[in-house]
Amino acid sequence: MRKLLLSTTALAAAATLSANAALADVAISGAFEWTYNSRSSNLVALDGTTFGTGSEMAITFTNKTDSGLDITYRVDLDTDGGAIGNDETSLAIAGGFGKIILGYDDHAADAYTIDESDLIKEDAAPAASSSSISTGTATPTDNDENKIAYHLPAMGGLTAGISHTDGGEEGGNDTTSMGAKYAMEAAGASITIGMNTTTQENSTQDIDQESMGIKIVSGDISVIFASGQRESNDEEIDNVGAAISYSMPNGMTIGAYTAKSEDDADAGEEYSRTGVELVYPIASGLTAMINVDDYDYKKGSDPDVATQDDSGTNSKLTINAKF
């Protein structure tokens, strides 16, 4: 009798677990990359070679409610360096009204940004000596802070969204971000225009950022032109960038890109780079990338005494695996 009771209990527990598991679809994905970087710089501290790694894992639970809502719970883990860190955790609720995202995730502007790095698999921009000058036209992220975001349902070729990050109690800095994209076909080419703006409250002067870009795809050739601006207490940064890529019949992709950033608040401070990239698919899920960047940074009147002029060439080999 006791054996029968234990067996019945075990079967009931298994049935319950199976029923609950059937409610949600679970997907696990991961990515790992290894890099070899060689930098030729006129600054001794930056000249030389380095190895690097980057890895992440994402777990996604999806479910559809009886009322037709699609619910997605996603956890993005940073697994690099022998330690596991929680990078993003969010809940998405989608339906005919659009999509609401709650939790730690990207701000809305990120979904509508078009910049030159979109055509480049491995953005190998060497860091500028300045902590404020930009290396591209994309709007900087807000570190995936806790927020609420809403994305409208697609209306023809138009998509748009807005997000709000609460800075907390008095003294905290709220952030509001919004963006939109419009896609259309013209003369046999696919054209997408994207724009966004982000404002973060600040005790002295709000940090305002905006960018705009256009992407044109015709056959195997893609082109992007982009611009962006950032204003804060002591910064008036203007950015421009462009990129072109060509997908070859053998699966390889070649690309070229350029970007320039100027800070009008510090006369003469500017950063520019021009680079090329070769992407080679070794096997399914395994890719090799080679990037070569020529860059130049001029300090100008930047009062940061730690900043120095810097120029040189940065070469990078990346082996990327996705699972």
Side-chain angles (χ1 to χ4, degrees):
M1 182 67 181
R2 185 170 179 270
K3 290 183 178 180
L4 178 60
L5 179 60
L6 289 174
S7 300
T8 304
T9 303
L11 288 172
T16 301
L17 290 173
S18 298
N20 289 335
L23 293 176
D25 292 325
V26 182
I28 301 176
S29 61
F32 180 91
E33 68 177 29
W34 178 89
T35 61
Y36 170 75
N37 197 87
S38 177
R39 183 166 178 173
S40 175
S41 169
N42 64 343
L43 297 178
V44 176
L46 299 177
D47 189 83
T49 61
T50 57
F51 287 156
T53 61
S55 61
E56 63 179 4
M57 180 175 65
I59 305 173
T60 305
F61 299 84
T62 58
N63 186 21
K64 182 178 285 291
T65 68
D66 293 339
S67 59
L69 296 177
D70 292 312
I71 302 176
T72 303
Y73 165 49
R74 184 177 65 88
V75 179
D76 193 339
L77 302 174
D78 185 351
T79 59
D80 196 34
I84 297 179
N86 193 349
D87 191 20
E88 296 177 343
T89 304
S90 63
L91 172 68
I93 305 170
F97 58 86
K99 179 188 291 186
I100 297 173
I101 302 176
L102 308 171
Y104 294 84
D105 207 335
D106 299 325
H107 55 57
D110 188 67
Y112 306 97
T113 298
I114 296 177
D115 70 87
E116 69 283 350
S117 64
D118 289 351
L119 296 182
I120 307 303
K121 295 291 185 181
E122 182 68 19
D123 195 345
S129 300
S130 168
S131 61
S132 62
I133 203 75
S134 301
T135 59
T137 57
T139 302
T141 63
D142 60 348
N143 299 320
D144 296 322
E145 296 175 349
N146 194 356
K147 62 177 60 65
I148 179 172
Y150 172 63
H151 299 271
L152 288 166
M155 295 172 286
L158 178 65
T159 55
I162 184 171
S163 65
H164 179 74
T165 304
D166 192 332
E169 294 78 6
E170 184 177 355
N173 300 319
D174 294 354
T175 301
T176 301
S177 172
M178 61 186 73
K181 275 183 180 179
Y182 182 72
M184 59 183 175
E185 300 288 330
S190 298
I191 301 174
T192 305
I193 301 172
M195 58 188 68
N196 64 75
T197 178
T198 299
T199 298
Q200 179 179 345
E201 295 177 351
N202 190 277
S203 58
T204 52
Q205 178 182 337
D206 290 350
I207 301 174
D208 295 317
Q209 304 172 94
E210 59 183 36
S211 69
M212 179 176 181
I214 180 170
K215 180 179 181 180
I216 303 171
V217 180
S218 180
D220 296 324
I221 298 177
S222 300
V223 181
I224 284 180
F225 301 97
S227 65
Q229 295 79 37
R230 173 187 172 95
E231 292 186 9
S232 61
N233 185 42
D234 58 353
E235 297 175 1
E236 294 181 20
I237 299 176
D238 292 314
N239 308 312
V240 293
I244 183 171
S245 71
Y246 172 65
S247 299
M248 293 181 280
N250 61 2
M252 295 176 61
T253 302
I254 56 174
Y257 47 96
T258 184
K260 184 174 183 179
S261 179
E262 296 180 340
D263 189 349
D264 295 334
D266 297 316
E269 184 182 23
E270 62 180 42
Y271 175 90
S272 62
R273 69 182 179 110
T274 301
V276 294
E277 178 184 70
L278 173 64
V279 179
Y280 176 71
I282 302 172
S284 178
L286 185 63
T287 306
M289 293 162 280
I290 298 176
N291 295 76
V292 180
D293 278 86
D294 283 328
Y295 69 95
D296 182 57
Y297 170 74
K298 292 182 174 61
K299 172 182 177 179
S301 63
D302 189 337
D304 183 356
V305 295
T307 303
Q308 302 179 59
D309 289 354
D310 179 24
S311 63
T313 300
N314 193 81
S315 303
K316 187 176 183 180
L317 167 66
T318 303
I319 304 298
N320 181 279
K322 293 185 177 180
F323 305 89

